[in-house]
Amino acid sequence: MARRSAVGRGRDTAVVDETAPPGRALASSVDPWGLPAGDPAEHRRGGRGRGGGGDGPRGGRWGGSGGRWWVWAGRAVLWALILVILVNGVRAPFERFTAEDDPAATPAGGSGPKPARGAGFPTSAAGAFALQFANVYLNYDQKTAPAREAQLRTFLPDGADPQFGWNGAGKMQVQSVQVAGVDARDASNATVTLLARTADQWLRLAVPVYADRNGSLVVSARPALLPPPTKAKLPQSGVQDRDTALESELQPFLGTFFQEYATGNQAALSRFSSTGATIAGLANTVRFMQVKEVVAPKGSAGERTVTATVVWQLAQGGGGELDQTYRLAMVKKGTTWLVRDIRGTTEPSAS
């Protein structure tokens, strides 16, 4: 077998077998994964020749273990993806099931909690509208029936009974009407409850009101009289453990304080404030008569909340007097008690 030398590169010389098929020789010279130049015996030993070590290229393929970690990394990513899909697939139906039972859950296709019942209904406007209606509806006189009919027309739907259920006889007049509450069923319909006072009784009136998208209002049906609110019975309460010594101590102090409170003298009232904040008085709308009672529960030596019953004579009352009860938060600084806050009492009392 004849041999010839190829172009030399450095100290090594490539050897070409002229009897090999031309295509194979060409492939060996251009394939970057082909066999490197060197001793053919080294190739047969797996490439453990000069500069080689471990696994090397064999027959045009990379057969070493250097790329195995890519395989394991790919498998780990694949299993992680499968695990995420499984978890989400189990969780999603559970979340939809619990959301249907939760009244505050996000509605389907929404981005926030479910709206409250009656959300969007113009509550304040409907209350004022029903109040004006009731002042016409609850006042009638057979001598002025046409005037009542004309006034009602503003509140009633087209085609409604002009007198809205009144038979045109008799006379009725209410002294006052107030809104007691608005029960909105949805964004368009609500029942406005009113309290009305006649000469000798209370009335409770339920007025159905409809609101359209433009904010226009109409009485949608005939009103209904309901029983007036019943009188509640106070629970048995009151201060069981009273600090009588403190009550006696505070009696003259509060007498002086309420004298200035009646006049509204800011310079004088500022001396009674524990914080230096302004205490607004009654600006001579009343005349102080006396502190009738002080009730102080036992507690902290330097801070106490007490109630005081004060007798006022109204400036416009023609000599009439009123007993009124106040709640005072008191703070002791040194030997002097000062007022931190004054307001109406919240404690039940039958006296």
Side-chain angles (χ1 to χ4, degrees):
M1 177 175 61
R3 299 177 182 270
R4 65 181 177 85
S5 63
V7 179
R9 289 184 178 88
R11 297 174 58 185
D12 297 332
T13 303
V15 179
V16 178
D17 187 353
E18 292 181 344
T19 61
R24 183 174 179 181
L26 181 60
S28 298
S29 64
V30 299
D31 187 357
W33 295 100
L35 298 176
D39 186 359
E42 291 181 358
H43 303 326
R44 288 192 295 271
R45 289 194 299 269
R48 295 181 180 87
R50 186 174 54 254
D55 295 331
R58 297 186 182 97
R61 295 175 179 269
W62 186 261
S65 61
R68 291 177 183 173
W69 72 276
W70 288 105
V71 176
W72 289 108
R75 289 177 179 176
V77 172
L78 179 60
W79 278 110
L81 180 61
I82 293 174
L83 183 61
V84 170
I85 294 173
L86 289 175
V87 170
N88 288 335
V90 172
R91 185 180 62 183
F94 177 77
E95 289 180 345
R96 286 196 298 269
F97 176 76
T98 54
E100 291 175 358
D101 294 337
D102 185 3
T106 302
S111 58
K114 290 181 179 179
R117 177 175 177 265
F121 185 84
T123 302
S124 298
F129 181 79
L131 182 64
Q132 295 299 317
F133 161 78
N135 276 301
V136 178
Y137 177 78
L138 294 176
N139 290 283
Y140 56 80
D141 189 335
Q142 59 186 6
K143 296 179 181 179
T144 58
R148 179 179 184 271
E149 178 181 329
Q151 292 175 359
L152 280 176
R153 197 174 295 123
T154 305
F155 305 95
L156 305 183
D158 295 339
D161 174 10
Q163 292 294 349
F164 218 41
W166 178 46
N167 65 355
K171 180 179 179 179
M172 179 177 176
Q173 186 175 7
V174 294
Q175 297 175 342
S176 65
V177 184
Q178 292 88 29
V179 177
V182 179
D183 180 18
R185 297 192 303 275
D186 52 44
S188 299
N189 298 278
T191 300
V192 180
T193 301
L194 305 168
L195 290 178
R197 178 70 182 176
T198 65
D200 57 354
Q201 62 181 335
W202 282 99
L203 302 174
R204 188 156 61 112
L205 187 70
V207 181
V209 176
Y210 173 82
D212 65 15
R213 293 182 178 179
N214 299 321
S216 299
L217 302 168
V218 68
V219 177
S220 56
R222 289 190 178 94
L225 283 172
L226 301 173
T230 58
K231 183 173 65 174
K233 185 177 181 180
L234 286 176
Q236 296 295 325
S237 61
V239 178
Q240 304 299 323
D241 194 9
R242 294 173 61 167
D243 189 339
T244 56
L246 179 59
E247 292 173 358
S248 299
E249 180 183 352
L250 290 177
Q251 186 86 22
F253 168 82
L254 291 176
T256 305
F257 168 75
F258 278 108
Q259 281 182 341
E260 302 299 343
Y261 190 73
T263 64
N265 186 335
Q266 292 299 304
L269 284 172
S270 63
R271 298 195 298 267
F272 294 92
S273 174
S274 67
T275 62
T278 300
I279 300 176
L282 299 178
N284 289 316
T285 57
V286 296
R287 179 185 176 190
F288 172 75
M289 303 304 292
Q290 65 170 318
V291 175
K292 193 172 184 177
E293 183 183 29
V294 178
V295 177
K298 290 185 177 180
S300 171
E303 187 172 350
R304 209 72 62 86
T305 298
V306 304
T307 57
T309 300
V310 184
V311 181
W312 301 118
Q313 185 180 78
L314 300 180
Q316 305 297 326
E321 296 179 359
L322 290 175
D323 295 359
Q324 297 189 332
T325 303
Y326 293 84
R327 174 184 177 273
L328 298 103
M330 310 288 296
V331 176
K332 194 172 186 178
K333 292 190 175 181
T335 59
T336 305
W337 285 94
L338 299 174
V339 177
R340 186 178 64 193
D341 181 62
I342 177 172
R343 62 186 64 194
T345 183
T346 57
E347 295 296 326
S349 174
S351 61

